[in-house]
Amino acid sequence: MAVVASAPGKVLMTGGYLILERPNAGLVLSTNARFYAIVKPLCDELKPDSWAWAWTDVKLTSPQMSRETTYKLSLKHLLLQCTASSDSRNPFVEYAVQYSVAAAYANFDSDKKNVLHKLLLKGLDITILGSNDFYSYRKQIEALGLPLSPESLASLPPFTSITLNAEESNGETSKPEVAKTGLGSSAAMTTAVVAALLNYLGVVNLSPLSDDQDNTGTADLDVVHAISQTAHCIAQGKVGSGFDISSAVYGSQRYVRFSPEVLSSAQVAYEGKPLDEVISEVLKGQWDHERTKFSLPPMMTLLLGEPGTGGSSTPSMVGAVKKWLKSDPERSGDTWSKLSNANSALEKQLNLLSKSAAEHADAYQCVINNCSIRKSEEWMEHATEPRQVEIVKALLESRGSMLEIRNHMRLMGEAAGIPIEPVSQTQLLDATMNTEGVLLAGVPGAGGFDAVFAVTLGKASSTNLTKAWSSHNVLAMLVREDPRGVILEINDPRAREITSALSAIHVE
């Protein structure tokens, strides 16, 4: 009876900060880095007197953290109570469990509620697993004496353990020693848990390993989206833009955020109203986010490089930018307008390139192959016909738009007093964009010291960039774009992740 669902991490290519406010759009790519949730009953059979029970057991296991947390779930109030034996809490999973169960009660008639009650009395056994790509393993690789290369990353066991620091002297909960890489682990984890639970409880019917999700009804994905957004926002104590959850559910896309008011009922959920009624309101709410299918044009590859400078705190950086927006509205408004225009220009050029690939495949393929082994200033020299010239123009204008985006992001960071594109990242990105076959490079999302991204052309350029990054002490990760969103897995990922990790370095 085990149900396994997975949801991808993301890279926000454009729309950093602007995406927080409607109607600004962002281009977000989902990746092959996935979080998995495995849901099954704690016991196979019901005990004779269990129908009278008002509580059921929930066990949450995180093998990578060597943590097991147990709860009691009230079948009346649908709230979790952590047991005394548990020494760690995961608010994202806790809200995911409560809201998913509440969604089942909100959607079912009395007959289905009886079946649901019986299923819940068997308990919930939930296991969460995150791909290695969500975490930095530079220290482990260096300790093993291995080179900073994708091959070294692939040699690590799947779902490698995450070492925890010793507890602080003040008694605070220990933090992971392994830094995150900025792929949105909490959003992917929340979405995977919600999807697995909703499917296990019979609220939705997700399709297994669908390449394009066409076999999974949009209504089912919309339910997963609404519950995941709600759980994620309440767990982190604020209503963010939601792009990370949206990409985790639907895959790569152009995204415009939802109006925060849709979650107002959930934010006051504990003022007396039953949780299933609250979630019913959320599901019926006006979810006005906009999403349009988007992915990189053909023969382009997303690469991520980890500079080893540690991650950044997105909430504190967002707070600084918001403060700057209020303190200097005229200057900040001008910067935001120019940044928005540059974002739109890049989106337009990438869409033109996708159209060229579809309508003029031979010319497009010839241009990409020529450009993949040359620096950008040489690209136009090898365009021998008008269609090729137009394609190269679109490539060069894409680069120009990206440079403009980076410039305005830097200026915004300087004005707000935060390192959106720190000097070390600027030097790395300039060197990256000067490498043969590289189209774009930037700091994703809110910027800072997380992994950088690059988009390369053709096959050879990815290998060249990996070597160039290595000379700058940057570890090329195994992450690639995978346009799929949440999917139902056929089996436990631990059974097959070994082979997929080894094959990932041979994608090009």
Side-chain angles (χ1 to χ4, degrees):
M1 288 184 66
V3 170
V4 185
S6 69
K10 51 68 191 170
V11 173
L12 184 63
M13 197 163 67
T14 70
Y17 297 99
L18 271 71
I19 204 171
L20 291 166
E21 295 184 3
R22 292 172 59 84
N24 298 316
L27 299 179
V28 54
L29 304 178
S30 56
T31 71
N32 59 351
R34 302 186 78 87
F35 239 94
Y36 299 83
I38 305 164
V39 178
K40 59 185 180 182
L42 270 173
C43 52
D44 295 329
E45 301 292 335
L46 288 178
K47 295 181 180 178
D49 60 343
S50 60
W51 275 101
W53 293 356
W55 299 82
T56 192
D57 294 311
V58 176
K59 183 175 76 170
L60 170 64
T61 306
S62 174
Q64 287 161 289
M65 296 253 190
S66 300
R67 282 181 173 173
E68 182 179 292
T69 312
T70 56
Y71 303 88
K72 292 289 186 181
L73 173 65
S74 167
L75 297 179
K76 180 180 179 181
H77 303 291
L78 311 182
L79 301 178
L80 285 170
Q81 180 177 312
C82 194
T83 63
S85 61
S86 300
D87 60 354
S88 59
R89 303 290 294 269
N90 187 324
F92 296 99
V93 175
E94 290 176 18
Y95 283 110
V97 171
Q98 292 173 166
Y99 293 173
S100 296
V101 173
Y105 276 100
N107 278 9
F108 290 170
D109 58 25
S110 58
D111 289 340
K112 284 189 175 181
K113 283 179 182 177
N114 286 334
V115 176
L116 173 65
H117 189 78
K118 184 177 178 182
L119 181 59
L120 289 172
L121 284 172
K122 293 182 178 180
L124 292 171
D125 185 349
I126 304 169
T127 301
I128 53 173
L129 298 158
S131 297
N132 288 347
D133 303 295
F134 287 103
Y135 307 99
S136 169
Y137 290 97
R138 284 180 64 109
K139 289 182 180 178
Q140 286 87 331
I141 288 174
E142 290 169 349
L144 292 169
L146 297 173
L148 286 175
S149 68
E151 290 80 4
S152 297
L153 275 177
S155 71
L156 294 175
F159 311 113
T160 294
S161 295
I162 297 169
T163 307
L164 298 180
N165 287 325
E167 189 173 287
E168 302 292 337
S169 57
N170 60 6
E172 288 187 0
T173 305
S174 58
K175 296 180 180 179
E177 182 182 277
V178 178
K180 294 182 179 180
T181 52
L183 293 177
S185 56
S186 65
M189 175 181 63
T190 302
T191 302
V193 172
V194 167
L197 277 168
L198 291 178
N199 208 91
Y200 176 79
L201 299 174
V203 181
V204 300
N205 183 22
L206 303 178
S207 298
L209 293 171
S210 171
D211 288 334
D212 55 12
Q213 294 184 312
D214 286 346
N215 294 326
T216 295
T218 302
D220 281 347
L221 291 177
D222 290 346
V223 173
V224 174
H225 174 260
I227 300 302
S228 299
Q229 288 283 19
T230 307
H232 194 252
C233 287
I234 300 301
Q236 64 184 1
K238 64 182 181 67
V239 181
S241 68
F243 78 87
D244 43 6
I245 291 286
S246 189
S247 61
V249 174
Y250 302 107
S252 296
Q253 62 190 269
R254 177 189 188 271
Y255 176 80
V256 177
R257 72 158 303 150
F258 57 87
S259 299
E261 293 76 23
V262 73
L263 289 179
S264 58
S265 61
Q267 289 176 290
V268 293
Y270 301 108
E271 295 184 358
K273 186 177 289 188
L275 188 57
D276 55 332
E277 291 185 20
V278 172
I279 295 304
S280 180
E281 288 183 19
V282 167
L283 291 171
K284 294 174 183 176
Q286 186 63 43
W287 288 91
D288 55 358
H289 58 288
E290 301 170 23
R291 58 179 178 85
T292 311
K293 272 193 173 183
F294 175 87
S295 60
L296 289 175
M299 300 179 69
M300 294 189 187
T301 303
L302 171 71
L303 266 69
L304 291 179
E306 190 202 333
T309 44
S312 300
S313 171
T314 299
S316 62
M317 294 177 72
V318 169
V321 169
K322 285 183 173 180
K323 185 178 179 181
W324 167 65
L325 288 170
K326 290 180 180 178
S327 65
D328 193 353
E330 185 175 348
R331 183 183 172 193
S332 63
D334 180 61
T335 300
W336 270 46
S337 177
K338 290 176 179 176
L339 182 54
S340 178
N341 290 337
N343 287 339
S344 298
L346 176 57
E347 179 187 344
K348 177 183 177 182
Q349 295 306 321
L350 291 175
N351 286 333
L352 278 174
L353 288 163
S354 290
K355 186 178 180 184
S356 295
E359 297 178 356
H360 311 294
D362 290 343
Y364 179 85
Q365 185 173 345
C366 182
V367 167
I368 298 298
N369 286 334
N370 282 333
C371 295
S372 70
I373 55 174
R374 295 177 174 86
K375 294 186 177 183
S376 60
E377 56 265 27
E378 303 170 8
W379 290 355
M380 191 60 82
E381 298 172 15
H382 297 272
T384 57
E385 59 175 75
R387 279 179 182 162
Q388 291 182 7
V389 170
E390 290 303 310
I391 293 168
V392 172
K393 279 185 178 178
L395 291 172
L396 293 175
E397 287 187 27
S398 296
R399 286 178 61 88
S401 297
M402 190 70 223
L403 289 170
E404 196 173 341
I405 290 169
R406 286 180 51 202
N407 180 52
H408 293 309
M409 291 282 275
R410 271 197 308 273
L411 292 174
M412 182 164 60
E414 291 168 6
I418 53 172
I420 292 179
E421 188 183 291
V423 174
S424 60
Q425 299 283 57
T426 297
Q427 294 169 346
L428 171 60
L429 293 173
D430 288 347
T432 298
M433 289 192 71
N434 198 39
T435 303
E436 293 86 347
V438 174
L439 177 65
L440 308 172
V443 287
F449 295 96
D450 285 333
V452 298
F453 78 88
V455 175
T456 62
L457 305 175
K459 295 181 179 180
S461 56
S462 297
T463 304
N464 292 338
L465 181 57
T466 296
K467 292 177 181 176
W469 273 350
S470 183
S471 68
H472 288 86
N473 201 35
V474 174
L475 174 59
M477 297 166 61
L478 298 173
V479 176
R480 298 290 184 269
E481 183 196 9
D482 180 342
R484 298 177 300 170
V486 67
I487 55 177
L488 196 66
E489 300 284 342
I490 296 172
N491 51 33
D492 191 316
R494 288 169 288 191
R496 56 173 166 69
E497 195 68 15
I498 296 173
T499 53
S500 64
L502 291 172
S503 63
I505 60 174
H506 302 299
V507 167
E508 286 78 30

